[in-house]
């Protein structure tokens, strides 16, 4: 993917900032950099040079201009340079949107339709529409792109953000001489938002377009998740900015090894395999029950599960005297130290304890046989209205 | 030839520099962020003073160093020195749950130093405060060591007027005069004393109780007396030649290091240290670091019996000190009134578990300095004359209630080495603190607990006891462990009890 080409802009200094969590750097990443600040002729010439050197590799030219004439011109120049496809940048949430481009387009389905229409008039190579996540329902702009004849969509562009405030200067980062501006957020911490949107479009029969997954993809597992939720390809940028192109090697090998272990021969063997498991809440089975189980053989006694459940969930863990309850002390237990035990009557199976437990495999969530027939909220409401079921009592 | 210093100023200073340098901000962050922030954490229980360790570590991670330091000093007014001298591997760090996960405990001691240095050493920021309105009660402490300071700081924060009587030039006791220099310089101890002085505690140095001030005066002028006298001279070896020049009480040698420039401290070329406790290790290591060619520990029992903790032992070995186990000095041989050699016999442990010399095994090894580190003796004679009727056990330790410091005499409390027979600095601080709370209970009927973790303790279903009550035993004490597991067989031995190297 080539850096977005358009009429040259002027950038500011500085441009990036990061969300660090503890010692983990760049968990989230933010930029206020605009599209390419180099002349279009330079970019198109270099695309041609690259295609000459690496004819087997696909190059997609990202484009962003304003008028119909300019779109026609740039689409043609991209094709002439040898680019294999075009991506329309309808997502940039800073700077360009103030000039009526980028996310200003992506946030307006009507405008998407119009511009994609212009592009399709001139395009002889595939056209991908890159969508902004800074909207309420991603499927609406995706449907607009489809309607206008786009060949594919890609998502997500960056999310509006302020990553941090410098508390000494009382100014957010990135710092531009005493000021800052809203930036575009990406990186590993943005992945859940991207996955949500990719799945939404993959599951929407009215969209029905190939999806290039973008947003926090940093390794083969991330890539496999995007693909499992319907992406036909993935794009990586922040992780490359952090660690360099060398990470691509493991992305390929790791994905390939994993696919071998699962018996998948091609991406298509598992692409979209997890899409259908995501459903509306009203279709979830209300009779399904799981509870937490704490393995005292591996419990190290940090009690993080206890305090999390006690203060932040359902008070379903007791701290008990192991000896009085006939339990083994567990590793490293000191005499007189209480151990956490799940109170299954109170446990709602929320997962919180298993999420905070720092020991691998110590807290597992177990399926419980409830003996109840499966019933969804939707069915429950219908049957309730028909008087076929008793109301489920409120949680005590 | 008389003993003389060996190293020049630069070399001596380099050899005696603190072995664990202070963390940088980033190092502290990385280590603090490793902490799991356990609830009701085992490290708190393993700390005799019950510092809320996860709380102070979390505050380091958020750059709230003043708050972090406050958490430490409120629980332990000698928190800066304990950060350096505590045998953490058998206390807080030995109880760290990380030992059961990935083997590396959080470096609690070094983090504690990082936080306390910020306020006490580097920036002189006060974190302890005493109420302006006093409660009208006056307390005197005998001695100005860790136990008395622990007691005085706690009392001052409760509104008492406290006077500390210390016979030396500086208060702080062993913290000021008796800790290996490469672990802690006297500066830290003196600043801690200053912090306590600023709570309004009167610290009378150079004043010896029984000589400069009488017990009758104390009795008349104060509502209660805390005996924090510690222990006295090192026990004698009781062999010929002990009075020769060049034979030192190991603590005197260590004190010299603390009271005069390092490069002026006389040290032998071949130094024998008799005993194998933590003081012996300090002495032998310091002798080696000050230029001794050979620094040798002579110990009557084996490696597995020595009171020194594995960390200290490892430190001395890494410095090139030599350990001769199952050896006893039977005579110190002199020449012109000075030590020339030591007659050494081999020993064995007999059926009764006692040490026995092996006849005919004696040999003579040349030494020019002998340091005795056989354990300090209690002040039995002095205490008997000061407090006729004060109950002491057969070893001369003051008998007191562990939880409150109460002795059998009214208005007299005790704690620290003089009562516990000689333990860590942190134990002494804790005992002083407990005695202060015992007094407060006796005077006002108020029970002080904690420090309590900031959470919902005491509610139904939550653990009933406040944290910080403290196990107050080394969590790795083998005998305790053995005793416990006699009746509680365990399936698997935990890594949390394996000595850390």
């Amino acid at each position: 993917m080539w850096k977005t080409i358009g009429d040259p802009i002027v950038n500011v200094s500085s441009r990036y900032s990061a969300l660090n969590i503890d010692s983990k750097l760049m968990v989230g990443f933010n930029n206020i950099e605009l599209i390419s600040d180099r002349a279009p002729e330079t970019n198109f010439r270099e695309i041609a040079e690259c295609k000459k050197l690496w004819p087997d590799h696909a190059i997609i030219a990202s484009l962003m201009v304003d008028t119909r004439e300019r779109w026609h011109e740039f689409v043609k120049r991209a094709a002439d340079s040898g680019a294999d496809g075009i991506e329309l940048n309808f997502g940039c949430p800073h700077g360009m949107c103030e000039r009526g481009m980028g996310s200003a387009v992506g946030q307006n389905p009507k405008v998407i339709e119009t511009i994609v229409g212009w592009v399709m008039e001139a395009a002889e190579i595939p056209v991908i529409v890159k969508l902004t996540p800074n909207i309420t329902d991603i499927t609406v702009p995706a449907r607009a792109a489809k309607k206008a004849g786009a060949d594919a969509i890609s998502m997500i562009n960056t999310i509006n953000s302020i990553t941090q405030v410098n508390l000494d200067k009382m100014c957010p980062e990135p710092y531009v001489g005493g000021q800052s501006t809203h930036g575009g957020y990406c990186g590993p911490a943005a992945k859940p938002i991207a996955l949500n949107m990719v799945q939404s479009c993959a599951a929407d029969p009215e969209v029905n377009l190939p999806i290039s997954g973008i947003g926090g993809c940093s390794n083969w597992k991330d890539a496999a998740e995007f693909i499992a939720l319907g992406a036909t390809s993935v794009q990586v940028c922040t992780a490359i900015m952090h660690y360099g192109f060398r990470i691509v090697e493991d992305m390929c090998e790791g994905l390939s090894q994993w696919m071998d272990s699962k018996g998948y021969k091609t991406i298509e063997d598992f692409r979209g395999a997890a899409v259908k498991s995501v459903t509306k809440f009203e279709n979830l089975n209300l009779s399904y029950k799981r509870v937490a189980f704490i393995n005292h053989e591996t419990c190290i006694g940090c009690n993080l599960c206890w305090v999390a459940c006690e203060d932040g969930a359902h008070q379903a863990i007791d701290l008990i005297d192991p000896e009085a309850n006939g339990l083994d002390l567990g590793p490293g237990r000191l005499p007189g130290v209480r151990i956490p035990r799940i109170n299954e009557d109170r446990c709602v199976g929320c997962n919180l304890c298993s999420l905070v437990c720092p020991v691998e495999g110590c807290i597992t969530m177990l399926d419980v046989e409830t003996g109840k027939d499966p019933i969804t909220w939707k069915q429950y409401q219908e049957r309730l209205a028909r008087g076929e079921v008793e109301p489920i009592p409120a949680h005590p | 030839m008389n003993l003389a210093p060996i190293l020049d100023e630069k070399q001596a200073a380099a050899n005696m520099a603190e072995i664990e340098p202070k963390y940088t901000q980033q190092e502290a962050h990385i280590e603090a962020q490793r902490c799991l922030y356990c609830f009701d954490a085992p490290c708190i229980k393993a700390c005799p003073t019950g510092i809320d360790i996860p709380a102070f570590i979390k505050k380091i991670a958020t750059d709230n160093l003043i708050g972090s330091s406050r958490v430490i000093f409120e629980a332990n007014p000698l928190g800066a020195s304990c950060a350096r001298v505590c045998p953490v591997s058998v206390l807080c760090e030995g109880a760290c749950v990380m030992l059961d996960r990935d083997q590396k405990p959080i470096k609690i001691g070094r983090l504690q130093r990082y936080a306390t240095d910020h306020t006490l050493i580097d920036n002189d920021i006060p974190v302890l405060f005493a109420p302006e309105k006093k409660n009208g009660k006056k307390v005197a402490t005998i001695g100005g060591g860790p136990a008395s300071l622990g007691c005085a700081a706690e009392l001052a924060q409760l509104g008492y007027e406290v006077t500390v009587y210390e016979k030396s030039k500086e208060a702080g006791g062993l913290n000021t005069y008796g800790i290996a220099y490469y672990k802690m310089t006297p500066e830290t101890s003196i600043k801690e004393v200053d912090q306590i002085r600023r709570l309004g505690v009167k610290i009378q140095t150079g004043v010896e109780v029984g000589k400069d001030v009488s017990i009758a005066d104390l009795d008349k002028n104060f509502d209660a007396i805390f005996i924090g006298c510690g222990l006295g001279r090192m026990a004698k070896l009781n062999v010929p030649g002990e009075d020769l020049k060049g034979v030192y009480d190991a603590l005197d040698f260590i004190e010299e290091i603390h009271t005069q420039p390092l490069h002026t401290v006389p040290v032998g070329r071949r130094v024998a240290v008799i005993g194998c406790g933590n003081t012996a290790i300090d002495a032998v290591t310091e002798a080696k670091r000050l230029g001794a060619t050979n620094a040798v520990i002579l110990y009557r029992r084996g490696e597995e019996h020595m009171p020194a903790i594995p960390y200290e032992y490892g430190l001395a070995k890494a410095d090139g000190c030599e350990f001769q186990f199952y050896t006893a000095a039977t005579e110190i041989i002199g020449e012109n009134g000075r030590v020339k050699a030591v007659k050494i016999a081999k020993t064995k442990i007999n059926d009764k578990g006692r040490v026995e010399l092996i006849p005919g095994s004696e040999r003579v090894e040349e030494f020019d300095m002998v340091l005795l580190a056989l354990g300090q003796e209690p002040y039995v004679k002095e205490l008997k004359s000061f407090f006729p009727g004060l109950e002491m056990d057969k070893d001369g330790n003051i008998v007191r209630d562990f939880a409150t410091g109460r002795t059998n005499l009214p208005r007299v409390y005790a704690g620290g080495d003089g009562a516990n027979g000689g333990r860590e600095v942190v134990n002494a601080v804790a005992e002083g603190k407990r005695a202060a709370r015992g007094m407060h209970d006796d005077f006002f009927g108020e029970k002080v607990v904690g420090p309590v973790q900031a959470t919902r303790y005491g509610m139904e279903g939550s653990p009933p006891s406040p944290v910080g009550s403290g196990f107050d035993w080394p969590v790795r004490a083998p005998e305790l462990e053995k005793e416990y597991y006699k009746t509680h067989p365990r399936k698997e031995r935990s890594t949390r009890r394996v000595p850390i190297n």
Side-chain angles (χ1 to χ4, degrees):
Chain A
M1 183 64 57
W2 204 270
K3 171 93 177 170
T4 303
I5 306 163
D7 289 319
I9 49 75
V10 180
N11 272 309
V12 293
S13 167
S14 57
R15 304 177 194 178
Y16 305 144
S17 68
L19 172 74
N20 302 327
I21 296 181
D22 287 352
S23 296
K24 190 76 191 154
L25 305 181
M26 277 178 52
V27 172
F29 188 72
N30 168 84
N31 84 87
I32 59 168
E33 190 172 88
L34 304 179
I35 61 171
S36 176
D37 49 11
R38 302 162 79 225
E41 50 273 25
T42 312
N43 280 307
F44 288 125
R45 190 188 69 233
E46 288 183 356
I47 289 177
E49 284 169 8
C50 286
K51 276 309 286 187
K52 201 177 282 176
L53 286 168
W54 294 283
D56 294 344
H57 287 66
I59 294 179
I60 297 169
S62 173
L63 303 179
M64 186 198 289
V65 283
D66 44 11
T67 64
R68 182 179 181 182
E69 290 68 34
R70 297 291 279 163
W71 275 110
H72 283 177
E73 179 202 335
F74 271 69
V75 166
K76 282 183 185 133
R77 288 173 79 181
D80 291 348
S81 74
D84 300 279
I86 295 164
E87 189 182 73
L88 313 183
N89 182 341
F90 291 169
C92 178
H94 47 82
M96 302 313 290
C97 54
E98 296 168 18
R99 304 170 200 177
M101 291 179 275
S103 62
V105 175
Q107 286 167 338
N108 191 332
K110 280 260 176 310
V111 181
I112 292 177
E113 237 180 283
T114 307
I115 296 181
V116 173
W118 295 344
V119 170
M120 298 317 291
E121 289 164 9
E124 288 168 359
I125 50 176
V127 174
I128 306 168
V129 177
K130 185 170 183 179
L131 300 178
T132 174
N134 299 309
I135 39 92
T136 308
D137 180 354
I138 192 78
T139 60
V140 176
R143 287 175 189 185
K146 165 82 175 179
K147 204 171 159 190
D151 297 300
I153 46 176
S154 60
M155 67 196 67
I156 56 177
N157 206 307
T158 53
I159 306 159
N160 283 338
S161 69
I162 293 177
T163 46
Q164 54 173 297
V165 177
N166 183 321
L167 291 173
D168 294 320
K169 294 174 178 159
M170 273 301 161
C171 179
E173 298 286 348
Y175 181 83
V176 185
Q179 295 176 306
S180 189
T181 187
H182 298 265
Y185 188 60
C186 55
K191 187 186 78 171
I193 296 163
L195 289 177
N196 174 54
M197 293 188 170
V198 167
Q199 192 277 336
S200 298
C201 289
D204 186 344
E206 288 186 43
V207 173
N208 195 23
L209 283 174
I211 300 167
S212 185
I214 313 166
C217 182
S218 311
N219 55 50
W220 68 264
K221 285 183 185 172
D222 296 334
E225 288 178 337
F226 273 101
I227 296 166
L229 287 178
T232 50
S233 66
V234 295
Q235 297 183 35
V236 182
C237 183
T238 312
I240 302 288
M241 293 177 76
H242 196 165
Y243 298 112
F245 290 114
R246 62 205 165 119
I247 65 160
V248 176
E249 189 274 332
D250 184 63
M251 292 190 78
C252 295
E253 188 197 47
L255 187 65
S256 183
Q257 295 285 3
W258 171 76
M259 285 172 63
D260 285 351
S261 74
K262 294 284 182 187
Y264 298 134
K265 290 199 165 51
T266 74
I267 294 288
E268 287 304 314
D269 287 353
F270 73 98
R271 192 178 68 79
V275 173
K276 282 210 166 57
S277 67
V278 183
T279 181
K280 281 185 172 175
F281 187 94
E282 65 177 16
N283 298 323
L284 298 175
N285 178 8
L286 299 175
S287 298
Y288 173 75
K289 164 107 172 144
R290 55 176 11 190
V291 294
F293 170 74
I294 301 172
N295 180 357
H296 292 122
E297 293 287 310
T298 54
C299 171
I300 59 173
C302 66
N303 295 339
L304 289 175
C305 58
W306 183 85
V307 74
C309 189
E310 190 71 10
D311 289 7
H314 297 84
Q315 300 81 47
I317 300 178
D318 300 324
L319 284 180
I320 57 161
D321 179 355
E323 290 165 81
N325 287 274
L327 291 168
D328 184 63
L329 273 179
R333 288 290 176 181
L334 297 169
V337 173
R338 289 152 180 262
I339 62 172
R341 187 171 67 179
I342 302 293
N343 180 338
E344 291 189 9
D345 291 342
R346 296 184 68 91
C347 178
V348 301
C350 72
N351 286 353
L352 182 62
C353 57
S354 70
L355 299 177
V356 301
C357 178
V359 180
E360 199 175 8
C362 178
I363 301 187
T364 42
M365 302 302 296
L366 302 179
D367 286 4
V368 177
E369 192 50 64
T370 58
K372 293 178 192 162
D373 292 333
I375 185 169
T376 67
W377 174 258
K378 203 173 166 187
Q379 293 164 339
Y380 172 55
Q381 291 304 302
E382 289 162 3
R383 290 183 201 172
L384 206 56
R386 293 199 295 266
E388 291 170 10
V389 288
E390 288 294 306
I392 299 171
H395 188 74
Chain B
M1 190 184 81
N2 280 336
L3 292 181
I6 298 174
L7 303 178
D8 64 25
E9 189 171 350
K10 214 171 133 191
Q11 190 62 52
N15 284 5
M16 297 293 259
E18 284 190 289
I19 43 173
E20 294 207 311
K22 189 180 161 184
Y23 272 146
T24 63
Q25 186 183 28
Q26 184 172 37
E27 286 168 339
H29 276 168
I30 290 171
E31 192 60 18
Q33 287 154 3
R34 282 183 62 230
C35 174
L36 294 178
Y37 201 33
C38 294
F39 177 81
D40 195 14
C43 55
I44 306 176
K45 293 193 170 67
C47 172
T49 60
I51 298 174
D52 187 345
I53 292 162
F56 93 68
I57 291 180
K58 196 74 176 173
K59 286 169 191 285
I60 292 175
T62 68
D63 285 324
N64 177 7
L65 292 187
I66 295 176
S68 180
S69 184
R70 177 191 58 78
V71 167
I72 295 160
F73 281 126
E74 277 182 2
N76 178 349
L78 304 190
S81 42
C82 285
R84 293 162 166 83
V85 306
C86 263
V88 285
S89 58
V90 295
L91 293 172
C92 52
E93 291 180 20
C96 179
V97 299
M98 293 296 256
L99 284 161
D100 282 331
R101 198 180 77 160
D102 57 11
Q103 313 280 314
K104 292 188 199 76
I106 306 300
K107 294 273 186 194
I108 298 168
R110 292 189 72 184
L111 286 170
Q112 182 167 322
R113 175 178 166 192
Y114 179 76
T116 51
D117 273 7
H118 177 76
T119 59
L120 186 84
I121 308 293
D122 301 338
N123 296 300
D124 197 25
I125 299 167
V127 293
L128 294 182
F129 301 95
E132 207 163 301
K133 193 168 176 291
K134 302 299 169 200
N135 64 22
K137 297 291 179 191
K138 291 182 178 176
V139 177
T141 78
I142 300 177
S148 292
L149 293 172
C151 183
E154 183 77 3
L155 287 171
Q157 291 177 87
L158 289 168
Y160 289 74
E161 288 173 75
V162 191
T163 307
V164 169
Y165 292 101
E166 167 59 54
K167 68 180 174 190
S168 302
K169 206 170 132 229
E170 298 280 359
L174 281 185
N175 265 1
T176 305
Y177 294 108
I179 305 283
Y181 204 83
Y182 50 82
K183 285 190 217 157
M184 180 170 95
T185 59
E187 183 205 14
T188 305
S189 173
I190 287 164
K191 286 201 168 177
E192 276 176 332
V193 173
D194 280 344
Q195 179 163 268
I196 293 165
R197 188 179 281 125
R198 274 186 285 181
L199 286 171
V201 173
K202 292 191 193 85
I203 296 179
Q204 307 269 10
T205 53
V207 179
E208 189 173 343
V209 172
K211 204 164 102 192
D212 306 312
V213 55
S214 71
I215 295 294
D217 285 343
L218 296 186
D219 193 42
K220 194 173 73 196
N221 298 328
F222 294 93
D223 298 294
I225 297 171
F226 174 77
I227 310 173
C229 57
L231 293 167
R233 306 289 302 169
M234 278 291 177
K236 289 275 180 193
L237 189 55
N238 294 322
V239 299
E242 212 165 345
D243 299 326
L244 288 166
K245 273 189 185 157
V247 181
Y248 288 81
D249 179 328
L251 282 176
D252 287 342
F253 172 63
I254 295 171
E255 184 172 333
E256 272 189 0
I257 294 170
H258 285 69
T259 49
Q260 62 192 67
L262 292 173
H263 65 286
T264 66
V265 177
V267 62
R269 300 271 170 184
R270 295 184 51 83
V271 180
V273 178
I274 299 173
C276 201
N278 291 326
T279 300
I281 300 272
D282 282 355
V284 77
T285 308
E286 293 196 280
K288 183 78 182 164
R289 283 178 181 238
L290 284 177
T293 320
N294 296 72
V296 184
I297 288 261
L298 303 178
Y299 183 46
R300 289 150 50 96
R301 293 172 181 263
E303 193 174 347
E304 65 275 26
H305 304 110
M306 64 179 175
I309 64 166
Y311 171 79
E312 303 283 343
Y313 178 43
L315 209 62
K317 280 200 295 190
D319 275 356
C321 300
E322 190 186 321
F323 286 78
Q324 295 187 11
F325 294 109
Y326 296 106
T327 57
T330 54
E331 186 185 344
I332 300 168
I333 302 162
E335 191 179 79
N336 305 326
R338 292 204 51 80
V339 173
K340 185 172 186 300
V342 176
K343 195 180 274 181
I344 301 166
K346 287 203 165 150
T347 67
K348 62 175 182 188
I349 312 280
N350 67 19
D351 299 343
K352 289 173 192 148
R354 297 187 68 96
V355 173
E356 209 173 85
L357 300 182
I358 299 173
S361 67
E362 285 186 333
R363 66 196 157 84
V364 171
E365 201 170 318
E366 287 204 359
F367 288 103
D368 54 0
M369 186 184 206
V370 175
L371 300 173
L372 303 182
L374 299 157
Q376 293 168 268
E377 299 205 310
Y379 287 112
V380 177
K381 204 178 78 198
E382 293 85 345
L383 286 170
K384 273 188 176 155
S385 79
F386 292 171
F387 299 102
L390 177 69
E391 195 185 338
M392 287 185 268
D393 67 16
K394 62 175 176 25
D395 298 322
N397 301 321
I398 303 165
V399 176
R400 89 302 189 204
D401 175 47
F402 182 77
T404 61
R406 291 177 194 128
T407 67
N408 63 321
L409 303 179
R411 301 194 294 122
V412 178
Y413 300 76
D417 282 359
N420 65 31
R423 295 184 64 187
E424 304 299 336
V425 172
V426 69
N427 297 109
V429 178
E431 290 177 24
K433 183 170 131 180
R434 278 196 287 268
R437 291 176 176 190
M439 289 178 206
H440 198 59
D441 189 14
D442 292 346
F443 284 129
F444 299 102
E446 283 174 25
K447 300 221 187 298
V448 183
V449 291
V452 179
Q453 260 190 336
T455 188
R456 299 181 299 150
Y457 258 111
M459 289 187 69
E460 204 181 335
S462 59
S465 62
V467 291
S469 47
F471 284 145
D472 201 53
W473 62 62
V475 292
R476 287 168 199 282
E479 67 278 11
L480 181 97
E481 195 179 53
K482 264 184 228 151
E483 199 55 41
Y484 182 80
Y485 288 107
K486 260 184 211 164
T487 49
H488 301 77
R490 57 190 302 135
K491 285 180 188 162
E492 206 173 300
R493 199 175 162 81
S494 163
T495 53
R496 206 187 297 178
R497 286 152 196 282
V498 175
I500 315 150
N501 290 314

